[in-house]
């Protein structure tokens, strides 16, 4: 914690806040994309994309889950999606899953989550659509198939939001699926044929 605190205290000295770039940030934000990913500390959207401050709007939670539209109660996820589209006007949304995901691992192994009722209830949102992969032995601890299917499922949920669907249908919004490998840094992109591939720069 001390290292984090020291870096926070020295941040203003380490960054050129006199530059036009940071002064412009005070005028408002105009992100290019909404980046939906896991809360996992090993997944850092700005590091992966090389984004500068103001370039991506982030939504992070356990398992990069998009709750169904119209779900009762307040939802930070629904509010973030709505704000990104209606107010910020983002034209691209990325749902990024990752290898070695604790949320996917808990679902795959059938962990007893009774001591974590909030986690259990949250993962219930993803569990039904992942059912085909939940039975059977864990062959690969990185669980690419689980994480990738979850990305596809969350893109489908996202596409059911009226605010997103209207924009998709009119060509004003593009959805992207990514799978990030924690141990290699590779980003696999979901292609039109439903497969995740690493694309050369």
């Amino acid at each position: 914690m001390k290292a984090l605190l020291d870096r926070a205290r020295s941040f203003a000295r380490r960054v050129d806040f006199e530059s036009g770039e940071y002064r412009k940030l005070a005028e408002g934000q105009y992100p290019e994309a909404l980046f939906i990913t896991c809360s996992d500390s090993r997944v850092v959207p700005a590091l992966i994309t090389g984004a500068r401050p103001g370039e991506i709007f982030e939504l992070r939670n356990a398992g990069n889950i998009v709750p169904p539209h119209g779900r009762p109660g307040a939802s930070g996820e629904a509010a973030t999606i709505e704000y990104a589209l209606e107010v910020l006007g983002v034209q691209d949304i990325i749902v990024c899953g990752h290898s070695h995901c604790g949320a996917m691992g808990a679902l795959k192994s059938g962990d007893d989550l009774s001591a974590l009722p909030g986690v259990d209830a949250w993962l219930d949102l993803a569990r039904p659509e992942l059912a085909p992969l939940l039975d059977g032995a864990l062959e690969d601890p990185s669980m690419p198939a689980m994480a990738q299917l979850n990305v596809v499922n969350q893109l489908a949920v996202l596409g059911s939001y009226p605010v997103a669907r209207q924009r998709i249908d009119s060509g004003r919004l593009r959805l992207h699926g990514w799978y990030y490998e924690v141990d290699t840094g590779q980003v696999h992109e979901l292609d039109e044929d439903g497969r995740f591939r690493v694309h050369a720069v």
Side-chain angles (χ1 to χ4, degrees):
M1 184 62 202
K2 185 179 184 307
L4 293 175
L5 188 57
D6 287 345
R7 289 197 295 269
R9 288 172 174 166
S10 66
F11 181 60
R13 293 195 308 272
R14 290 184 285 112
V15 176
D16 181 13
F17 277 92
E18 295 302 315
S19 72
E21 177 186 3
Y22 282 92
R23 288 186 182 280
K24 188 176 180 181
L25 290 176
E27 299 170 6
Q29 60 172 323
Y30 308 95
E32 296 177 23
L34 169 60
F35 199 99
I36 301 174
T37 194
C38 189
S39 302
D40 193 299
S41 61
R42 300 165 294 180
V43 181
V44 185
L47 186 63
I48 295 168
T49 62
R52 300 285 299 159
E55 289 184 344
I56 55 175
F57 198 57
E58 294 183 26
L59 169 54
R60 304 185 66 168
N61 63 46
N64 43 269
I65 293 170
V66 178
H69 177 261
R71 186 168 173 249
S75 166
E77 288 76 19
T80 300
I81 292 165
E82 186 178 276
Y83 190 84
L85 294 175
E86 294 280 24
V87 179
L88 299 178
V90 300
Q91 296 183 353
D92 292 274
I93 300 179
I94 301 153
V95 176
C96 181
H98 69 97
S99 67
H100 306 87
C101 179
M104 296 300 102
L107 287 171
K108 179 65 176 173
S109 62
D111 290 352
D112 178 7
L113 298 174
S114 57
L116 302 168
V119 173
D120 193 33
W122 180 250
L123 294 183
D124 267 346
L125 297 176
R127 191 175 277 120
E129 297 301 323
L130 292 173
L133 297 181
L134 295 183
D135 294 327
L138 180 61
E139 298 174 4
D140 184 344
S142 69
M143 295 171 294
M146 280 278 291
Q148 290 174 9
L149 178 57
N150 185 53
V151 167
V152 171
N153 293 341
Q154 302 315 314
L155 286 169
V157 175
L158 184 58
S160 72
Y161 276 59
V163 67
R165 176 49 50 197
Q166 293 167 4
R167 285 166 171 74
I168 293 168
D169 291 345
S170 64
R172 294 179 293 148
L173 177 64
R174 296 171 295 270
L175 302 183
H176 311 270
W178 289 7
Y179 170 73
Y180 171 68
E181 288 185 348
V182 168
D183 51 334
T184 69
Q186 287 191 319
V187 174
H188 303 244
E189 300 170 46
L190 179 63
D191 283 342
E192 291 182 3
D193 64 2
R195 295 175 180 269
F196 283 82
R197 293 185 175 88
V198 177
H199 291 268
V201 177

